[in-house]
Amino acid sequence: MAQSIVEAPIRIDTSRKIIHVDMDAFYASIEERENPAYKTQPLVIAHDPRQTGGRGVVTTANYVARQFGVHSAMPSQKALEMCPQAVFKTPNFPLYREVSAQIHQIFHEYTDMIEPIAFDEAYLDVTDNKKQLHSAVQLAHELQREIWRKTHLTCSTGISYNKFIAKLASDYRKPAGVTIVLPQDAEAFLLREPIEKFRGVGKKTVPKMHDLGIMTGQELYEQKELDLIKNFGKLGYILYRRVRGSDDRPVEYLRERKSIGKERTFGPFLQSTTEVNTHLKALAKMVAESMQGHQRHGKTLVLKLRYGDFVTITKRRTFTEFLPNDAIQFDQYAEEIFEDVVDEHFDSGIRLLGITMTGLAPLAFENITLPLYPNDN
Ligand SMILES: [Mg+2]
């Protein structure tokens, strides 16, 4: 295929092993587990449209309801019309969140490189996994068995060398499927996929693709890069690469951190408690923001101070509960510790102050903002 001079070379890194885990009909399967009678009925997880005046959307439908054409994101009213005998069950998000946390614990037995997409979906980078398993397929099977053993829920997994293909693969065989797409098979796999499956090709883009005669990956592949960019902008640029098996996006996980802190040095040295408190306030604010940014909370606050004569004191205070990431509280405790430890060396001034939080843990799931159901209040 002729390459135009404007085309940047496409990088394809096949060294990673990425698994996309997608729980099968997650909310509906949890409800079936809690109440097995639902298994043989068309079950729709949504507020009953007869009680909401027709408002609301379907979060999940079980496999029986899907046979009537009901699917997630469909208006509940439409689901009722398609399947008048459907059972509508109001979502129990606290329960789903709890099960999701349980599944994440299982993920952590294999890797800490986990990128959650929703309660029921995550990418795992298992290139270097905790079980030293070389085969990602074996790992995926073990993971599925473990999830089943501990939750009695099934999931489907897609395995490949990048996120884009792994996600397509997890959708390939559902429920309880394992699909691996090896680098040498990626192109053939992608060319067969219908264009609707390419991420970013949504309701608005599909008709435009069809108008251009692009129905599958094959026809997408045949497009010139400049034409795709002209017709679809940045999405065109991305799709040109995706259909060639290129996607270098890393699995964006929260790195484990032992502590989060900020310190500042001063010249001239601080001479008064008022000055110290002003700077502790600023440090507390930065630490609280950083903690929130890293989605962590901690039980121990450490104050560090270094006097003008280089005498250094670190003093920690540990609480029984995790502290909220609140700048005012951090500042208050830091000021209290300061009053506790300050001594005659203060005459030489203070050249450094620091506040650090340790004893960290991930923020509870309920404090993390995940894109869920904007239509469902
Ligand atoms: Mg799912």
Side-chain angles (χ1 to χ4, degrees), residues 70-276:
V70 178
H71 58 78
S72 29
M74 169 184 281
S76 306
Q77 183 60 39
K78 191 172 175 204
L80 178 64
E81 284 159 19
M82 293 181 100
C83 184
Q85 68 271 48
V87 178
F88 285 83
K89 173 84 183 64
T90 301
N92 179 357
F93 289 118
L95 173 64
Y96 309 153
R97 186 180 295 139
E98 194 184 304
V99 179
S100 180
Q102 198 185 357
I103 290 161
H104 274 252
Q105 261 178 17
I106 301 170
F107 291 162
H108 277 287
E109 292 171 19
Y110 296 84
T111 180
D112 293 325
M113 293 175 76
I114 301 162
E115 178 182 342
I117 307 300
F119 283 160
D120 70 327
E121 229 183 285
Y123 292 108
L124 277 59
D125 187 324
V126 299
T127 314
D128 297 306
N129 59 79
K130 294 182 181 179
K131 306 240 170 178
Q132 313 287 342
L133 288 170
H134 182 67
S135 160
V137 177
Q138 190 191 339
L139 191 151
H141 280 289
E142 271 189 31
L143 179 65
Q144 280 174 322
R145 273 200 300 273
E146 194 62 10
I147 291 174
W148 171 258
R149 199 172 68 76
K150 289 192 171 142
T151 68
H152 278 272
L153 298 167
T154 65
C155 61
S156 297
T157 52
I159 308 159
S160 197
Y161 61 89
N162 71 35
K163 293 206 291 192
F164 176 70
I165 303 174
K167 187 167 162 72
L168 282 174
S170 73
D171 195 42
Y172 194 73
R173 221 174 270 133
K174 268 185 151 295
V178 175
T179 303
I180 179 165
V181 179
L182 297 168
Q184 61 266 34
D185 302 326
E187 193 169 295
F189 176 80
L190 291 168
L191 296 190
R192 277 198 310 267
E193 285 289 300
I195 193 67
E196 292 82 355
K197 295 269 183 183
F198 284 75
R199 197 173 157 216
V201 180
K203 270 189 201 132
K204 280 186 195 154
T205 318
V206 169
K208 205 170 162 188
M209 286 281 177
H210 287 179
D211 284 349
L212 292 164
I214 306 170
M215 307 292 172
T216 65
Q218 175 72 50
E219 285 114 15
L220 178 65
Y221 188 94
E222 288 162 4
Q223 297 287 310
K224 290 198 181 71
E225 182 180 15
L226 277 182
D227 288 340
L228 283 176
I229 293 171
K230 192 180 76 199
N231 285 313
F232 302 102
K234 186 162 184 236
L235 176 65
Y237 174 90
I238 292 170
L239 289 175
Y240 182 84
R241 279 154 184 78
R242 296 288 184 267
V243 75
R244 285 164 176 75
S246 168
D247 174 14
D248 285 343
R249 289 172 305 154
V251 171
E252 300 202 28
Y253 62 104
L254 298 170
R255 280 173 187 77
E256 280 311 313
R257 296 183 59 124
K258 299 244 184 300
S259 66
I260 291 173
K262 299 281 173 195
E263 53 181 53
R264 269 198 70 185
T265 53
F266 308 100
F269 302 157
L270 308 181
Q271 303 290 347
S272 71
T273 308
T274 312
E275 282 178 282
V276 168

Side-chain angles (χ1 to χ4, degrees), residues 338-352:
F338 178 78
E339 279 170 40
D340 243 26
V341 299
V342 69
D343 56 21
E344 70 279 5
H345 293 276
F346 196 13
D347 293 343
S348 66
I350 284 175
R351 61 167 72 236
L352 179 147

Side-chain angles (χ1 to χ4, degrees), residues 22-26 120-121 174:
D22 189 9
M23 299 303 296
D24 299 321
F26 188 50
D120 70 327
E121 229 183 285
K174 268 185 151 295

